[in-house]
Amino acid sequence: MGITLEQAETAIKAAKEKAKAIGTLMNIAVVDAGANLTAFVRMDGAWLGSVDIAQKKAKTARYFDMPSGEIGKLSQPGGSLYNIEHSNGGLITFPGGIPIKNSDGEIIGAIGVSGSTVENDHAVAQAGVDALS
Amino acid sequence: MGITLEQAETAIKAAKEKAKAIGTLMNIAVVDAGANLTAFVRMDGAWLGSVDIAQKKAKTARYFDMPSGEIGKLSQPGGSLYNIEHSNGGLITFPGGIPIKNSDGEIIGAIGVSGSTVENDHAVAQAGVDALS
Amino acid sequence: MGITLEQAETAIKAAKEKAKAIGTLMNIAVVDAGANLTAFVRMDGAWLGSVDIAQKKAKTARYFDMPSGEIGKLSQPGGSLYNIEHSNGGLITFPGGIPIKNSDGEIIGAIGVSGSTVENDHAVAQAGVDALS
Amino acid sequence: MGITLEQAETAIKAAKEKAKAIGTLMNIAVVDAGANLTAFVRMDGAWLGSVDIAQKKAKTARYFDMPSGEIGKLSQPGGSLYNIEHSNGGLITFPGGIPIKNSDGEIIGAIGVSGSTVENDHAVAQAGVDALS
């Protein structure tokens, strides 16, 4: 099913370090190629509501094989995917979810981060992705 | 787990008095630091649909440690948190939910109020918060 | 819709006193004639899982106008109501939920109690009912 | 909110080592005192269906402050808590969930393990608990 626990933990470790470096408290989730949860951590004091959002961002990124924020551009009123968030038990379509690829460019999972601004969430998720590339 | 039942009842009593003072009928919910329901009252004749909304406002305020209406400013179409309401089994992101802090400034729970305009809901929630400060 | 908040609070107060008298920590919920939540308290230290169960017991008692435990006798394997718990978003059919009647014998709501043995739960719920008779 | 991420990771590390020692592949979840997810890992090849079960076991243990299997003894047909599993969005009441206490004996969270026999699940959860005592 793609990503290993060791890889997921490598991504989470890098994401946590990025979160600390920019002074944020994050929830970080990694799902595998089947969009099933592989690993998760909530930094002490991070928002409780982000437990679910981090996981939903990771799933959204893997469900559509693109960053969660790309879906959000299309799900606005009048957009082609308006209210797609109602599917799949709830999607989160703002930034913070990013697919994870292996060295062959194949998607092996995704990471989702929640706990700060969406820009920070995305940056921390990217740090997790970069740790595996 | 933060707030005690006695504190929750103090907050609810003050909120009820405020509701009466401004001529409204409210549902009032208090959750603890873990976002679990601690106490709830529905004033006679208050909207039935607000039973759930009051609880979701309280949870939303604790999930993100800020007044529920602050989330709503960011969850509008085109906003950075658009459709965040699909997470956590349903959030309510308009005003009426406020975190409750102890004298050390630590969040010990939250109050959620629903039954009138969101301005009134917020004012009644604030009365509950003020009773503990 | 039957029970008033004042009546609900009277029932909860009596139930809390009974709970203390027998050395238990309870979640206590009261619903009105429409099975909508009217009032709720969780005593400090009471089980978190009983927040939901107390409410479901009260609803179950009002949904079928009998003590919740009566339903449980019929919902066993081979029984006439086997697995009725799957309905209504989840029923709880063991003791602790009891309808509340007015002086004319009309059902005006129900009380649900959870936090100890089902015998204790039922006894505490009965104390709440008795306070209104 | 009780358990820290560092403590949760200590428990998970010990649980993983126990799982390897007995030749099993496990999902391991830790929740805090508010029953909110703090950390989670799925060992490579562990059952996908256990992602949810491990989390529900941890929540069940914290919801009722006892090992999940204790609830299961009472929730059998004819038992006093028959079909309690329908509450709280789904409980898991067979062994594998255990409360986690601090050195003062206060419950600070819980661990839930799923992926093998319930005896193995419980043993791996216990290893996590023991690492913090």
Side-chain angles (χ1 to χ4, degrees), chain D residues 16-78:
Chain D
K16 270 205 297 185
E17 286 169 3
K18 177 70 175 178
K20 287 177 187 167
I22 62 174
T24 59
L25 300 173
M26 296 295 195
N27 286 262
I28 308 164
V30 173
V31 299
D32 67 12
N36 296 293
L37 190 64
T38 300
F40 172 87
V41 302
R42 173 160 46 93
M43 296 171 70
D44 296 337
W47 290 332
L48 294 177
S50 290
V51 172
D52 184 55
I53 292 174
Q55 293 181 62
K56 281 189 165 60
K57 283 182 180 176
K59 287 193 177 187
T60 299
R62 172 50 184 150
Y63 280 156
F64 303 101
D65 296 343
M66 65 182 77
S68 54
E70 295 302 307
I71 304 289
K73 293 177 186 172
L74 302 173
S75 69
Q76 302 298 314

Side-chain angles (χ1 to χ4, degrees), chain A residues 47 49 52 76 83 85-86 94, chain B residues 63-64 78 80 83 86 88:
Chain A
W47 288 332
D52 184 58
Q76 301 296 317
N83 266 351
E85 293 85 359
H86 287 267
F94 43 83
Chain B
Y63 280 155
F64 303 101
S80 59
N83 266 351
H86 289 266
N88 292 288

Side-chain angles (χ1 to χ4, degrees), chain A residues 35-56:
Chain A
N36 297 294
L37 190 64
T38 300
F40 172 88
V41 301
R42 172 160 46 94
M43 296 171 70
D44 296 337
W47 288 332
L48 293 176
S50 290
V51 172
D52 184 58
I53 293 175
Q55 294 181 63
K56 281 189 164 56

Side-chain angles (χ1 to χ4, degrees), chain C residues 111-126:
Chain C
I111 187 169
V113 174
S114 178
S116 179
T117 64
V118 296
E119 291 78 12
N120 284 339
D121 292 352
H122 181 81
V124 169
Q126 189 63 53

Side-chain angles (χ1 to χ4, degrees), chain A residues 85-106:
Chain A
E85 293 85 359
H86 287 267
S87 69
N88 293 287
L91 298 177
I92 290 294
T93 61
F94 43 83
I98 308 178
I100 297 172
K101 297 179 182 178
N102 66 14
S103 56
D104 293 335
E106 297 169 331

